[in-house]
Amino acid sequence: MEGVISVCKKGSKGKKDDLYHVIHKVPFGDTPYVKAKHAQLVDKEPEAAIVWFWKAINVGDKVDSALKDMAVVMKQLDRSEEAIEAIKSFRGLCSKHSQESLDNVLLDLYKKCGKIEEQIELLKRKLRLIYQGEAFNGRTTRTARSHGKKFQVSIKQETARLLGNLGWAYMQKENYMMAEVVFKKAQMVDADANKACNLGLCLMRQSRYSEAYCILEEVLEGKVAGCDEIKSRKRAEELLEELNGNLPEAEILGSLGLDDEFVKGIDDMLNAWNTNRPRRLPIFEEISSFRDQLAC
């Protein structure tokens, strides 16, 4: 009987331990990485968590996760510069499949620090990896996570997202001509209301109000994916209000224009999405002669 009671007690304790780890989202064990996650998520002691993350990296305990998680905690403590240096210094210890997630953390850190040039270079590098067929480990989709939910992202969606971010980075540098080219390319790959609003703002900054008006109207008329989102509609309305305040009664538009060859390259790219090609993906295969313009 005592043996049965003992087993029941152990079983009950085991279930409580399992529940504890599920609730707090911490791994099992007593390693430096586990202690770091406990300090981060349970004790709410980020400084102590960083100490344990460093120890985990130094002893080779889940280095991929330790480096990424430590950088995130450092960002929360306004130690972004330190986090950037940590990733640059120790990413060589991490596996190949973790490099993409480390790049994503780096992008967030660059934004936090206002390092626009670094953002642009990193975004270009990620786009080159797609062109070379090395992104997503050669697959056409990958599993992403947002707010605790998993979903599938296609290489097409990722390309458009990266181009959208690149266009916004050019906006920060006030290089509106390059931003326009990139935003239009992103919309042709996978259009959405957010990028449409960004393109509209880009055209407004160039005093091309009629073109911007047409794009923003499409968002409000429901002609673009994601236009049913309240945030996107509100932004389009705000931009239109700003635009109407700047629009002259008799507007004479100056044509900035796009290079005809570049536009043709984009059209060829869009027609090639369903073409099966080895390694290099259609989006870049078809515009390979134009990609140097994107790298300006």
Side-chain angles (χ1 to χ4, degrees):
M1 181 66 69
E2 289 181 1
V4 174
I5 294 174
S6 176
V7 170
C8 289
K9 287 182 177 179
K10 288 181 180 179
S12 177
K13 183 178 185 300
K15 290 181 180 178
K16 287 181 179 179
D17 287 343
D18 290 344
L19 184 61
Y20 175 87
H21 286 87
V22 169
I23 292 174
H24 295 287
K25 298 181 180 179
V26 293
F28 290 90
D30 194 37
T31 65
Y33 179 73
V34 172
K35 291 180 178 178
K37 295 301 291 183
H38 194 282
Q40 176 193 4
L41 300 174
V42 181
D43 297 335
K44 308 296 183 183
E45 296 179 359
E47 295 288 357
I50 290 173
V51 172
W52 282 111
F53 280 132
W54 273 124
K55 290 182 180 179
I57 294 169
N58 289 331
V59 301
D61 177 26
K62 294 187 178 296
V63 178
D64 294 12
S65 298
L67 182 57
K68 184 178 70 173
D69 291 347
M70 183 179 70
V72 171
V73 175
M74 285 180 169
K75 178 188 173 186
Q76 294 169 348
L77 296 176
D78 291 325
R79 294 167 60 180
S80 295
E81 295 278 1
E82 186 180 347
I84 290 170
E85 292 306 314
I87 291 178
K88 288 182 176 179
S89 299
F90 294 98
R91 69 183 306 167
L93 300 175
C94 300
S95 61
K96 183 178 179 180
H97 75 268
S98 69
Q99 299 302 317
E100 185 177 348
S101 60
L102 287 172
D103 279 344
N104 292 334
V105 174
L106 261 183
L107 277 174
D108 286 338
L109 293 169
Y110 286 150
K111 290 177 183 177
K112 178 81 171 179
C113 297
K115 294 180 178 290
I116 301 173
E117 288 291 347
E118 288 82 352
Q119 288 180 53
I120 290 173
E121 289 307 311
L122 182 50
L123 288 165
K124 286 180 182 177
R125 184 163 69 82
K126 289 173 75 67
L127 286 164
R128 281 195 295 271
L129 289 176
I130 293 178
Y131 165 71
Q132 294 163 358
E134 297 178 14
F136 289 20
N137 293 319
R139 297 189 296 269
T140 57
T141 62
R142 70 175 174 85
T143 301
R145 186 188 296 270
S146 178
H147 304 294
K149 295 182 179 180
K150 292 182 179 180
F151 56 94
Q152 290 297 309
V153 176
S154 70
I155 201 78
K156 187 176 179 180
Q157 292 170 321
E158 179 69 359
T159 301
R161 185 185 72 83
L162 292 173
L163 288 169
N165 289 342
L166 181 60
W168 189 252
Y170 280 123
M171 286 284 287
Q172 308 311 299
K173 286 178 62 67
E174 298 184 1
N175 186 346
Y176 301 125
M177 181 175 181
M178 198 64 219
E180 178 190 351
V181 170
V182 176
F183 279 140
K184 285 184 174 179
K185 183 165 178 272
Q187 285 295 81
M188 290 178 178
V189 173
D190 189 35
D192 65 44
N194 180 57
K195 291 193 292 289
C197 288
N198 288 339
L199 176 57
L201 176 61
C202 180
L203 293 169
M204 288 167 62
R205 293 293 179 264
Q206 298 172 72
S207 299
R208 294 161 61 190
Y209 299 116
S210 292
E211 294 170 79
Y213 182 87
C214 292
I215 290 171
L216 295 173
E217 274 290 293
E218 286 186 345
V219 175
L220 295 179
E221 291 173 1
K223 296 180 179 179
V224 187
C227 56
D228 55 338
E229 296 179 4
I230 296 176
K231 184 177 180 181
S232 295
R233 292 186 64 83
K234 183 177 179 181
R235 186 170 181 229
E237 290 170 354
E238 290 173 348
L239 288 172
L240 275 175
E241 185 177 347
E242 178 185 341
L243 185 154
N244 289 329
N246 293 326
L247 189 63
E249 291 184 6
E251 183 183 33
I252 301 176
L253 291 175
S255 177
L256 180 61
L258 283 172
D259 181 77
D260 289 340
E261 282 191 313
F262 188 85
V263 174
K264 183 180 182 302
I266 292 175
D267 292 337
D268 292 342
M269 170 196 71
L270 294 173
N271 292 331
W273 273 109
N274 295 322
T275 304
N276 293 321
R277 297 174 183 270
R279 287 192 61 76
R280 291 186 177 181
L281 295 166
I283 180 175
F284 292 109
E285 184 74 19
E286 293 300 315
I287 61 166
S288 58
S289 61
F290 309 109
R291 67 182 185 275
D292 291 338
Q293 297 182 43
L294 181 61
C296 292

